[in-house]
Amino acid sequence: MGSDKSIPPEIKKMNFEAALKELEEIVRTLEGGECDLDHAIAAYSRGALLKRHCEDKLKDAKSRIDKVMIDGNGNKSIAPFEGK
């Protein structure tokens, strides 16, 4: 999965949904401005790791998706997914 070497094990074992939920909670906390500076810095650092983990999970999923194509004669072929 590429750049996950610096991601802590407790984040690596999280599934996409759990990591995204925690990231959303961190964003809400930071946007609310109700935490002290030390907590904000720690939350931002963890949020950056969660974001990278989510991106890695999405890249992995994208690489596994194949697009099924059917030609005019009904013949099927498979091509790699070419999303944005």
Side-chain angles (χ1 to χ4, degrees), residues 66-80:
D66 289 329
K67 181 170 71 174
V68 176
M69 300 170 53
I70 301 175
D71 66 17
N73 296 324
N75 298 317
K76 296 177 187 175
S77 64
I78 298 175

Side-chain angles (χ1 to χ4, degrees), residues 22-83:
E22 184 177 340
L23 180 57
E24 289 171 342
E25 290 171 7
I26 288 171
V27 169
R28 275 192 294 278
T29 300
L30 292 174
E31 286 179 343
E34 298 177 12
C35 58
D36 62 33
L37 181 61
D38 288 337
H39 183 285
I41 291 169
Y44 180 84
S45 296
R46 182 158 176 93
L49 293 170
L50 288 163
K51 177 183 175 283
R52 196 162 68 228
H53 177 64
C54 287
E55 288 171 343
D56 288 346
K57 290 279 191 185
L58 288 173
K59 285 178 193 172
D60 183 49
K62 184 177 175 181
S63 71
R64 295 175 184 212
I65 297 172
D66 289 329
K67 181 170 71 174
V68 176
M69 300 170 53
I70 301 175
D71 66 17
N73 296 324
N75 298 317
K76 296 177 187 175
S77 64
I78 298 175
F81 177 75
E82 295 179 18

Side-chain angles (χ1 to χ4, degrees), residues 7-27:
I7 296 175
E10 73 272 8
I11 292 177
K12 282 186 190 180
K13 70 180 181 180
M14 295 175 84
N15 66 29
F16 177 83
E17 292 78 11
L20 184 60
K21 182 178 179 184
E22 184 177 340
L23 180 57
E24 289 171 342
E25 290 171 7
I26 288 171
V27 169

